[in-house]
Amino acid sequence: MAITSVHFLIFLCITFCVFYCCPVKYRWVALLVSSIYFYVMAGAVSFLPFIVLTSGVIWICARIIGRLYEEQDEKLKGSDLGRAEKKAIKEQYKKRAKRVLMLALVCCVGILCVTKFTRYAVRYLNLIAEAANGSAPFSAEWILVPLGISYYTFSTVGYILDVYWKRYTYEPEFLRFFLYAIYFPHIVQGPISRYNLLGQELKKELRFDSRRIVFGMELMLWGFFKKLVIADRLNIFVSAVYNGEEHAGSIYLVAMLFDAFQIYTDFSGYTDIVRGASQIFGVELEQNFNHPFFAKTVPEYWRRWHMTLGGWFKDYVYYPCTISHFMKRINKRTKKTLSERGGRFVTVVIPVFVTWVLTGLWHGTGKTYLAWGIYYSTLITISVAFQPEFEKVTKFLKIRTDTFSWQLFRMLRTFCCFMGGRLLTSPGGLRRTLMVIKNILLHLQAWCLTDGTLFTYGLDWPQLVLIAGSVLLLWGVSMLQERASVRELLEEQNIVFRWAVIFAAIFSILIFGIYGLGYDAAAFIYAQY
Amino acid sequence: MEKVVEILSSLKSGVDFHTAEGIVTNKIIDSIDIASLISMLEDEFDVEIGMEYMENENFDSAAAIWEMIEELAEE
């Protein structure tokens, strides 16, 4: 059941009726049942044991950790123990909690790694066997990759780490926790929700609120517009270019530009649809995008793009790596042997490198995503480590940094860096990436943009005009969103105008959307992770 | 507290850290600055900042950082 299908809309309507017919106390149960149904329909029944196992292990282990801390607090409370004895008790309990945590992490991250990396390993084993014997004896067909495994594993692992670090206490009811893991708006493609936010949202009294429901539907409409009108239309061109034979460099440049807008409208469109759907039930999901193309630096870009993934890696990989004993030892040594700045440089480089390589591997296995991780870790390291030099150069060149032109240049520079990252993964392998770069540099053939060749990739000129208009609208709305809530602005208008805008949105999706009988809307790009 | 302000100022110039609030929430300093900040605080005050303390509220102002340092020193 794809989220852009009629089935999903029917499912949403039925869930809406059942949900609001239930007494407030049991509405979360309606969400749980519909989430399980959605998970089975969007994936398969055979995926269900995986998510039950991961949630079960995490919930049990977090409960044990929580209980250990309660026991520790009981021992420490009111006793006349000295400082050293208290410290020893704390260390003893911390050790026990750590053992439980490690068990949970090995089990759940193990399942994730086996499901994600076995196919890649089998492919390489077959290559080796083929070179030796001439036959490929291993099969990877039996390996299941459960729907949303990266997303629910990350959400639940974040929860147990937070309990271990005493950021909040454990959830006593398994079914409540299971709803957090399998909640249908975020299971397929995120956002990767934090338990202290989504868990609490699902616990509050979910009452009928017509204003919020209309807001939710408006957000869904905007998401459908981004996905069906822009992303799926751009997908026609991008797929035709990247899946076909060699093309002129100028065509690749257009494909790179279209690809950047396609992935943004695809993923942010998805997020708007599910956040809107969730709002209909009174549950707020975390923001995942904050107009990333307005970012002026690469680090800022990653604070605006797939924000919940970036936040997850920052809190659960980058910080633990930064403050680990290993890093502290390296920091001290480099400070002695190099300099204060050298020490700080190493402190930044290693955790950034580890974080980005892992972020790359989260997106996909293989050399392509490893290169993608290295690409971003290099960009971020350069932007941070050489900041003083960049400032000196800017001063030397007498560049006025408070001007619009300078800010625009920085935005375009960041956008180009993003397109560079996409160039590593979109063409389908590093060899093809090199071929694209070669054609851009050596066979640009700019006349292909004007002699009609551009229209031979599935999009004629009216379609390209429609894309240009839609992107302009997207830009205008994004500019407005930077300043205020568009939905609130719309709410302040006369009812005739408000509903005219809503109907215009519905009709533009119906008329211009890429869909219809027999047409399978292109799968959301981030669902594969 | 003066020392904390001094360390923060060495990371980011042009900000009055005596009065600045929400320095993490408002992205005056980012996660990379925090990594350097931790290393400098640990060296200066001889404390160890664990993951339990890695929350925005503990780094959101010079006063909050100082409070955290005092708490760590007591442990």
Side-chain angles (χ1 to χ4, degrees), chain A residues 3-4 8 151 183-193 215-227 231 262-280 283-292 304-309 362 481 487 524-527:
Chain A
I3 228 142
T4 46
F8 178 73
Y151 295 96
Y183 182 49
F184 76 87
H186 84 145
I187 185 67
V188 181
Q189 228 177 288
I192 300 169
S193 308
F215 268 31
M217 283 157 63
E218 286 171 352
L219 190 58
M220 282 183 76
L221 268 180
W222 182 233
F224 279 122
F225 179 82
K226 281 185 190 173
K227 168 70 179 162
Q262 188 215 342
I263 191 159
Y264 171 60
T265 46
D266 183 283
F267 195 12
S268 70
Y270 171 89
T271 306
D272 288 343
I273 295 169
V274 295
R275 285 186 77 218
S278 189
Q279 267 174 16
I280 288 174
V283 180
E284 279 295 333
L285 284 179
E286 287 161 72
Q287 198 185 353
N288 223 8
F289 289 90
N290 183 19
H291 315 119
R304 287 169 172 261
W305 175 281
H306 205 175
M307 293 152 76
T308 54
L309 179 75
W362 179 89
Q481 283 172 333
R487 286 178 291 171
F524 283 97
I525 298 168
Y526 265 72

Side-chain angles (χ1 to χ4, degrees), chain A residues 111-358:
Chain A
I111 295 173
L112 177 67
C113 291
V114 168
T115 53
K116 286 200 83 169
F117 295 107
T118 312
R119 280 186 189 198
Y120 188 69
V122 166
R123 212 175 74 206
Y124 268 80
L125 282 174
N126 278 335
L127 281 177
I128 296 166
E130 234 176 325
N133 311 324
S135 66
F138 306 108
S139 164
E141 294 305 311
W142 56 274
I143 300 158
L144 285 177
V145 183
L147 183 72
I149 184 164
S150 303
Y151 295 96
Y152 71 71
T153 304
F154 271 40
S155 297
T156 52
V157 163
Y159 159 75
I160 196 169
L161 285 168
D162 284 344
V163 171
Y164 175 73
W165 289 323
K166 298 181 185 172
R167 287 181 178 159
Y168 47 80
T169 189
Y170 63 94
E171 166 57 57
E173 285 179 62
F174 174 69
L175 287 180
R176 290 268 190 191
F177 182 71
F178 188 56
L179 171 60
Y180 157 71
I182 202 170
Y183 182 49
F184 76 87
H186 84 145
I187 185 67
V188 181
Q189 228 177 288
I192 300 169
S193 308
R194 303 294 175 102
Y195 184 76
N196 57 332
L197 300 174
L198 180 58
Q200 296 315 308
E201 280 287 304
L202 290 165
K203 272 188 169 179
K204 69 183 189 190
E205 284 193 350
L206 304 168
R207 293 189 179 279
F208 187 88
D209 179 347
S210 57
R211 180 178 182 258
R212 200 195 50 231
I213 291 168
V214 173
F215 268 31
M217 283 157 63
E218 286 171 352
L219 190 58
M220 282 183 76
L221 268 180
W222 182 233
F224 279 122
F225 179 82
K226 281 185 190 173
K227 168 70 179 162
L228 296 174
V229 178
I230 309 178
D232 284 358
R233 183 162 276 107
L234 290 171
N235 179 52
I236 297 170
F237 186 93
V238 175
S239 303
V241 173
Y242 284 146
N243 295 337
E245 297 298 309
E246 275 194 53
H247 308 284
S250 53
I251 295 294
Y252 281 127
L253 280 177
V254 176
M256 279 172 71
L257 183 71
F258 281 11
D259 179 51
F261 280 101
Q262 188 215 342
I263 191 159
Y264 171 60
T265 46
D266 183 283
F267 195 12
S268 70
Y270 171 89
T271 306
D272 288 343
I273 295 169
V274 295
R275 285 186 77 218
S278 189
Q279 267 174 16
I280 288 174
F281 301 103
V283 180
E284 279 295 333
L285 284 179
E286 287 161 72
Q287 198 185 353
N288 223 8
F289 289 90
N290 183 19
H291 315 119
F293 295 159
F294 291 155
K296 295 177 188 83
T297 60
V298 173
E300 188 196 347
Y301 172 84
W302 279 102
R303 286 195 296 272
R304 287 169 172 261
W305 175 281
H306 205 175
M307 293 152 76
T308 54
L309 179 75
W312 195 95
F313 270 102
K314 183 188 83 184
D315 286 348
Y316 304 116
V317 177
Y318 177 75
Y319 281 146
C321 185
T322 302
I323 65 166
S324 65
H325 290 292
F326 171 74
M327 274 311 299
K328 282 174 187 167
R329 272 203 303 274
I330 288 185
N331 187 19
K332 273 184 187 152
R333 259 186 227 167
T334 44
K335 265 185 194 168
K336 269 184 201 165
T337 50
L338 296 168
S339 62
E340 184 72 24
R341 194 178 166 193
R344 212 176 294 165
F345 179 76
V346 174
T347 316
V348 169
V349 170
I350 297 176
V352 164
F353 187 80
V354 170
T355 305
W356 281 97
V357 166
L358 288 177

Side-chain angles (χ1 to χ4, degrees), chain A residues 83 94 167 328 331 335, chain B residues 39 42-43 52 54 74:
Chain A
R83 211 167 153 174
K94 192 87 190 173
R167 287 181 178 159
K328 282 174 187 167
N331 187 19
K335 265 185 194 168
Chain B
S39 149
E42 290 191 337
D43 286 351
E52 292 86 345
M54 295 303 295
E74 264 176 40

